Amino acid sequence: MATKHFYPTIDGLVDQALLGTAASHPGLALLRSEKVLYAKNHPRSQVSVICGGGSGHEPAHAGFVGEGMLAAAVCGDVFASPSAKQVQKGCMAVPSDNGYILIVTNYTGDMLHFGLACEKMKAEGYKVGVVKAADDVAVGRKNGGMVGRRGLAGTIILDKILGSMASADCSYDEILGLGTAVGKSLVTISAGLDHCHVPGRTTAYGAIETNTLEIGMGIHNEPGVRTVTPIPPVDDLIAELLNYLIDPNDADRAYVPFEKTDEVVVLMNNLGGLSTLELRAATQATISGLKKHHGITPSRVVAGTFMTSLNAPAFAITLLNVTYAARESSVEAATILKYFDAPTDALSWPKTASYSSEAAVEELKNGEAEKTFAQDITVEPATLERKLRKACENIIEIEPKLTEWDTEMGDGDCGETIKAGAVALLALLDSGLAKTGSILRVVDAMVDITEDHMGGTLGAVFGIFFAALMSALVAAASTSSSAPIEQVLATATAEALASLRTHTPAKEGDRTVMDVMIPFSAAFEGGNVDKAAKAAKEAAEGTMKLMPKLGRATYVGGLAEKKLLPPDPGAWGVHELIQGLAD
Amino acid sequence: MATKHFYPTIDGLVDQALLGTAASHPGLALLRSEKVLYAKNHPRSQVSVICGGGSGHEPAHAGFVGEGMLAAAVCGDVFASPSAKQVQKGCMAVPSDNGYILIVTNYTGDMLHFGLACEKMKAEGYKVGVVKAADDVAVGRKNGGMVGRRGLAGTIILDKILGSMASADCSYDEILGLGTAVGKSLVTISAGLDHCHVPGRTTAYGAIETNTLEIGMGIHNEPGVRTVTPIPPVDDLIAELLNYLIDPNDADRAYVPFEKTDEVVVLMNNLGGLSTLELRAATQATISGLKKHHGITPSRVVAGTFMTSLNAPAFAITLLNVTYAARESSVEAATILKYFDAPTDALSWPKTASYSSEAAVEELKNGEAEKTFAQDITVEPATLERKLRKACENIIEIEPKLTEWDTEMGDGDCGETIKAGAVALLALLDSGLAKTGSILRVVDAMVDITEDHMGGTLGAVFGIFFAALMSALVAAASTSSSAPIEQVLATATAEALASLRTHTPAKEGDRTVMDVMIPFSAAFEGGNVDKAAKAAKEAAEGTMKLMPKLGRATYVGGLAEKKLLPPDPGAWGVHELIQGLAD
C-alpha cells in the first residue's frame, strides 16, 4: 500500500485541490466556502445537472463540470458527503428556470444530504429531482439487501449523458426520465491490487497480500466479493469480471440484461494508482473478452481516470447497455449515444470525436522495389569490389582485438557489432552489390546494413552517417560537376559528418568513433585518400590516451590512474575500414 | 515502491495498450507491427508532426495523436527507443506534401534512432527536421556536460504547439522555427516519493526511504538532484522546485530567463501514481509559489497525467516562458498562446476552453431575509407554544435513556443528537417562534434545526421529513380547503413520509425511526391525534423485538441470541416528540 504523500494529512487538501482545479479551466468558478465548483456561464434556460459527494475520488466530480456535462459539483471532505446546505448553495450557484437534477451516488450520507437539499428546495418552490447512481455489482442482491448497490464510475456516464441533455435544452422531465433509465442500465466491477491510503490516517485496514488481488473492492476500501491468490492472468481476471457484470445465470446479480446485438458503452476507470500503460492494455483485454465470451462488440470505449479511490492501484469496468436504457425510456439508442458523444469542455472527460467505425488496425505490407538512381556516381566495378572486400576482411580479422578492448572498457559487443556489418556487406557483394560500380547503391546498402545487422548506438551512428552521405552524394550526382571522384567523396563526407553531429553531442577527444571520423574528414578535404587514411590511423592510435566521456565506459573504475588505455574499439574499427578502402 | 501489477511482465504489454488506445478513439489507427498510432485522416497538405520514444510514459505519446496535436506517435518497448525503421514507417503512415517534423526527447537512443530516420528520409528526398525536447533542469550545466538536458513533460507542450501549428496550415519552416524557440523556453523539474516499477523487472534500484523524497528524479528512475529527509511541507518543496526552474542566480542552471511580466504556461504532470487530489492541490501550491516568490501570475495552467514514469508517485512542474519563446522566434506571444489554446481531439490533452480571465473564486455572502408566507396555516399561539415545549421537555428528560440504549446498540450519539434539536427549538420558542401561531414558520425552523444542530444520519432523516412536510403544508395552504387542521396535518404527514421514503431504503421492521413514523402516519390518516399518538407509543415499544438491519448496529455481535433488545432510541425519541405534541 502506497502510504507516502506530499500532503501529510487531508487538512485543507480539498480546498487547495479545488482552487487548483478552478485555476486550470477558465470556464470554472469556485464557491470556496461551500466547496462548490461551477460553470461560470451556465444558462438559466438549461436544467442544472449537479453531482457531488465525498472527495478523494478526483477527477470526480469537479473535473466533470463544464458545458455539456455538469453545471456544478458539490464536494465533501475526503470520503465524507457534503451537507445539504452545500448542495443547496451549489444549486443556487447555477440558477435554472427549468429545474435541478441531482445525480447522487447511493451511499447513505450522500442519499440523505442530497435528499434533504432536494426536499428543502422543493419546499421553497423549486423543481428538483434525484437520479440515483448505483452501478456496483460487487454487492449481490442477498447481501445488498435494502441499501442496494453503491455508486461507482457509472456515475460519470450519468454526468455525461444528463449534462449533454441539459446542454441540448432537454426538459427536466426528459432528463429525469432518461437519467433514471440509464441509471438502471449501468453495471460496474473493480479489481484491485491494493487499498488506497488516506494521508494522515492509520493503515488499520492493511495492505492486500503481495500475491493477491481483490475483486469488487469499493472506492473507500470497502471489501469486495472475493480475493484471488495468486494474481491470475489478466484474460482470466477480465473473464471473471465480465461474468459478474453480464452473466444472466447469476441469480444474485444479472442486474442488467445483455444481448449480443446490444449497443454497449465500455468505460475503463483507473482508480488512481495504476499505470496508464496497464489500464490501456486492460482496456484491450476487456474488448477482447466481451467479444470472446459474450459476443458483444462495444459501440464506444472510453478509458481514463474518472472516479478514483485516491491512489489505489486498481481498475474498474463499467458497462452501459444503451439498448436496454432505450427500452426502459423510449428514447432511441442512437439518441442516447448522440448525448454520450456530444462535445463537452469539462476538464477530465477524454476527447472522443464522434464515432464512425471500429478501431483501425493495419499490418504492414512487405516488399519494396529495388532502388534505382536517376543520376549515379560510378567507379570501376572491380576496384570497388576489391576495396570493399578488403575493408570487410580487415574488420573481420581485427574483431577479436576489438572485442578484447571493449570487454575491458565497455560491454564487449563492439567488435561483434562491427563484424556483423562487414559480414553482411560481404554477403551483398557475393550477390553482386558492386557489379555496376554504383557508389550510391553501396552507400544505400550500408544504411540498411547498419540498421538490420548492427543496431545499437554504433549502428545508429553509422546509419546516420551513411544516410547523410547518401543525401550528399545524391545531391552531388544531380549536379553536372566535373570534379574528380575523390573530391566528390571528400565533400560529401564532410557534409555527412556535419549532419551526424546534429544528432550526437560526441566531439573529438570523447573517445568515440568521432575521434577518427573528424580528423579523417578534415584530412580528406582536398580529396587525397592516402593523407586521409594516414590521419585516420594516427587518430585511432591516439584514442589510447583518451579518457571516456560518454556511454558505459565512463562507469569503469580506476581509469584516472592508467597512463595508457586500449584504443577505442569503435574508432579502431573505422580506421580499419578506411585502410581497406584506401588500399 | 508499488511492485504489484496486473501484467506480470512487459511481454506484449505495449502492443495490447496500443490496441486499447486505438479502440478508444475513432480517429486513430494503429500500424500494429511498427507500434505506430496515427491519425486516420491526416491531410497531406499539413506538415506531419510526429513524436515518439520508449513506452512506459503513457499517455505520452499515443494519447496526444489527433487533429490539433500529433499526426503520429512512434512507440518503442518499455523504456526503449523505437528503431529508425519504425520512425520512418510512422512518417509514411501520415504522408505529407509539406514535410515532417520529429519531436525527439533528448536521450541517446531516441536522438540516434530518430536522427537516423531523419537522415534516411532526407536521402530519399523528403523534407524532415528534428525539434529536440530537453526541458529537464535537474541536470545542471556542469554534470550535464555534452549530453545536455533530458526531455520530460515539456515535450507535451511541444506536441501541442507544433501540432496546433500544423493544423493551422503553418509551413515546415514556421513550425521548425517556433518549435526550436519553444524547446529553448521550457524548464521542468520533478519531485518523487518513490521510484516506478517495471512489471517483471527486479527491484534492484530500490525504494526511496519512507520519510524521504527525491528532487529531479528522471522518468526512468534516473537519480535526481538530491533527496530530502524528512519530506518537507509542500509549500517549501514547491519553493525549492521553482528555484531550480527560475532562479537567475543559479549559475549551473538559469536555462530560461523569467521576468515578472512574462506570459508563462504552467503544466503540472502526474508521473503516474499520485492521487489526482494531491496533484490538484500541488497545482494550487505552484500557482501560489510562483506569485509569492517570483511575482509571476501564470497565463495558463494545465494539470493532469501527461508523461508518466509508469506508476511513480511523483509530480513535475513544467514552465514555458511564452514571452521568451516569442523573443527567440519573432512570433508574437499572443500567437503562441493561440496555438496552445486551440482545440484538439487528442485523447489525453485536457480540455481548456480559451482563457479569458483569472480563476474566479467567490466567498459566500451571508444574511438571508426572514421568511414570510403568503398563505399560512395558523393555530392558537399559546397552544402551539405549549405543545412544542412539552415535546422538547419530553425529549430532554428521556435523553439519558436514549443515550444508554444507543451506547449498547450504536455509537451512542443518538440521545445527544435528538436533545440538541429540542434545546435549539426551545431557544427559538424563547425568541418568539410560536408567537404568531404559524405552523409553517415552526416547520421551516425545524428544517434548519435538524441541519444546523443535529446533523448526521438522524438529522438528515428528520430534515428531509420536515422539508417535505413544509412542501406539503405550503401546497395545502395555497388551496382554499376548509378541512380541519388535524386533517391537513395528517395528509401532509403522509405525503412527507412518502417523500422521505424515496431517499432512504428503511422500512418498517428495520429498527429505525421509520418503525414509529410509518404506523403513526397510518393511524393519523383520519386526523385523529390521540389514535395516532397511541399507535406511535406501541410502535416504539415494539422496536424492542426488532433486529437491526441498517447502520452501525448491524455490526454488534451476539444479537441473534437476545430475546429482547432496548428500544430503538431514534424511534423512541420520535414517540416522545409525538406524545408532547398530542398532549
Side-chain angles (χ1 to χ4, degrees), chain A residues 34-90:
Chain A
E34 306 301 317
K35 298 192 175 72
V36 168
L37 198 83
Y38 64 97
K40 263 189 229 171
N41 301 317
H42 180 73
R44 290 192 74 100
S45 60
Q46 288 179 8
V47 172
S48 297
V49 177
I50 292 161
C51 191
S55 292
H57 309 300
E58 294 68 23
H61 292 279
F64 301 112
V65 175
E67 175 68 21
M69 284 189 83
L70 300 176
V74 185
C75 306
D77 216 325
V78 172
F79 296 173
S81 170
S83 71
K85 182 175 157 241
Q86 286 174 268
V87 177
Q88 276 183 285
K89 299 294 179 190

Side-chain angles (χ1 to χ4, degrees), chain A residues 312-325:
Chain A
F315 69 89
I317 305 173
T318 297
L319 303 180
L320 166 65
N321 187 339
V322 178
T323 305
Y324 181 71

